[in-house]
Amino acid sequence: MELSTNNQLQRPLEPVEEKAVSPWLEAWRSFRNNKLAVLGTLIVLFFILLAIFAPLIAPEGINEQNFEKRLLAPSSEHWFGTDDFGRDIFSRVVHGARISLWVGFLAVTGSIVVGCLLGILAGYYGKWVDTIISRFFDILLAFPSILLAIAIVAVLGPSLKNALIAIAIINIPNFGRLIRSRVLSVKQEEYILAAKAVGMKNSRILFHHVMPNSIAPIIVQGTLAIATAIIEAAALGFLGLGAEAPNPEWGKMLTDSRAFLVQAPWTMIFPGLAIMLTVLGFNLMGDGLRDALDPKMKN
């Protein structure tokens, strides 16, 4: 018995196999443990659900006018009060979520598609292609973004669609330069060099190897850019260059309520709060994604 016990004690311990954890799963765990990021995600989901179910949530039509009820203070009948046309502000703020989120998502999607395409071409092929595309980015970045957006809308004409186009254009260089720098790093990796050595086509290398390994910073930047796009859309609407009446766009609602700031401050407070909370949600979520996806941010 003693000999058997000694043999067991002298037997080397077998190494315990650790299960490999997916980088995306690890990022999700990090994101989930970030309370502010979760809070931001809940705020964003709240406004998305608000936009989806706006017809069911809004108690009145967005353009139903009743001059007998104009500029009423918030009450149980009208939670956010009424505007100078007697329209229910709560209903208009709820429907305004559709417009602001729609502009934010579509504008950023357009910026990502065009910016990433140009950035990938510049970073992968280099030489004169990189020079031309980089100078194009420099020209766009030479102008203050909001002034460039105003100039584009002034040329195209004031409308929500043209404001969306302008916002997409001014955000192209942000994504283009980001993906270009990432591609410059990725294309030097051994698996890219091996793919070239075996004769793989450039298009296949770009879309099957370079793009998937460059997408993480784009997700973070895209989330933060949606918040910026919502602010820019509100700014253009406030200047009368975005959504046209009677659309319940939050920036347009702010400019329409300027004359009643002292008499009926709720006409400006609630659209302003909607903008603030939506932008705050996207910023918190974007910061959480950056911390989860960027290895340099991890302890």
Side-chain angles (χ1 to χ4, degrees):
M1 293 295 293
E2 294 180 0
L3 181 61
S4 176
T5 303
N6 292 335
N7 290 338
Q8 291 179 358
L9 292 175
Q10 295 175 1
R11 184 181 302 169
L13 296 175
E14 297 181 358
V16 179
E17 295 184 1
E18 297 182 359
K19 295 182 179 179
V21 179
S22 168
W24 291 103
L25 180 58
E26 185 179 354
W28 161 245
R29 290 175 178 175
S30 175
F31 181 84
R32 185 180 57 189
N33 293 329
N34 188 327
K35 294 181 179 179
L36 288 178
V38 173
L39 174 62
T41 304
L42 292 177
I43 294 174
V44 170
L45 289 176
F46 170 76
F47 278 98
I48 291 176
L49 292 175
L50 202 68
I52 294 173
F53 298 104
L56 301 177
I57 298 173
E60 298 184 15
I62 57 176
N63 295 319
E64 291 183 8
Q65 301 180 11
N66 188 342
F67 287 93
E68 295 180 356
K69 296 183 178 181
R70 65 187 304 269
L71 299 178
L72 293 180
S75 63
S76 58
E77 182 181 1
H78 301 283
W79 292 356
F80 291 177
T82 61
D83 63 8
D84 55 318
F85 289 99
R87 297 173 297 193
D88 184 69
I89 295 178
F90 175 74
S91 299
R92 291 178 63 79
V93 169
V94 168
H95 281 273
R98 282 187 165 187
I99 297 176
S100 294
L101 292 177
W102 178 75
V103 170
F105 280 111
L106 286 186
V108 171
T109 300
S111 300
I112 290 175
V113 171
V114 178
C116 287
L117 178 61
L118 294 176
I120 287 174
L121 293 176
Y124 188 77
Y125 289 103
K127 299 181 181 180
W128 63 271
V129 177
D130 185 19
T131 301
I132 294 175
I133 295 176
S134 295
R135 295 297 78 78
F136 171 68
F137 291 159
D138 291 340
I139 292 172
L140 291 180
L141 291 171
F143 299 93
S145 58
I146 190 62
L147 293 181
L148 181 58
I150 292 173
I152 295 172
V153 175
V155 172
L156 299 178
S159 71
L160 186 61
K161 182 180 72 174
N162 292 337
L164 189 154
I165 294 172
I167 295 170
I169 292 174
I170 64 176
N171 283 292
I172 287 175
N174 297 328
F175 292 100
R177 297 183 71 176
L178 179 63
I179 197 70
R180 174 185 173 274
S181 63
R182 182 62 181 168
V183 170
L184 288 173
S185 175
V186 170
K187 76 175 185 178
Q188 302 299 328
E189 297 290 341
E190 293 182 358
Y191 60 90
I192 300 294
L193 299 177
K196 291 181 179 179
V198 298
M200 185 178 293
K201 294 182 179 180
N202 286 330
S203 58
R204 184 175 177 82
I205 294 175
L206 287 174
F207 290 102
H208 287 79
H209 296 287
V210 176
M211 177 65 81
N213 288 282
S214 306
I215 200 66
I218 296 299
I219 295 175
V220 177
Q221 182 64 28
T223 306
L224 297 173
I226 292 175
T228 304
I230 291 174
I231 294 178
E232 291 166 345
L236 292 175
F238 185 81
L239 296 173
L241 299 174
E244 300 176 345
N247 290 322
E249 195 271 328
W250 292 336
K252 179 64 176 173
M253 293 175 67
L254 288 177
T255 192
D256 290 342
S257 61
R258 284 182 302 170
F260 311 101
L261 180 58
V262 177
Q263 181 183 359
W266 55 86
T267 58
M268 181 174 284
I269 289 175
F270 292 109
L273 281 176
I275 295 173
M276 184 198 72
L277 289 175
T278 306
V279 172
L280 175 65
F282 277 106
N283 282 335
L284 291 177
M285 187 171 69
D287 289 340
L289 287 172
R290 180 195 59 196
D291 295 344
L293 295 175
D294 189 353
K296 297 178 182 179
M297 301 298 296
K298 298 179 181 179
N299 294 328

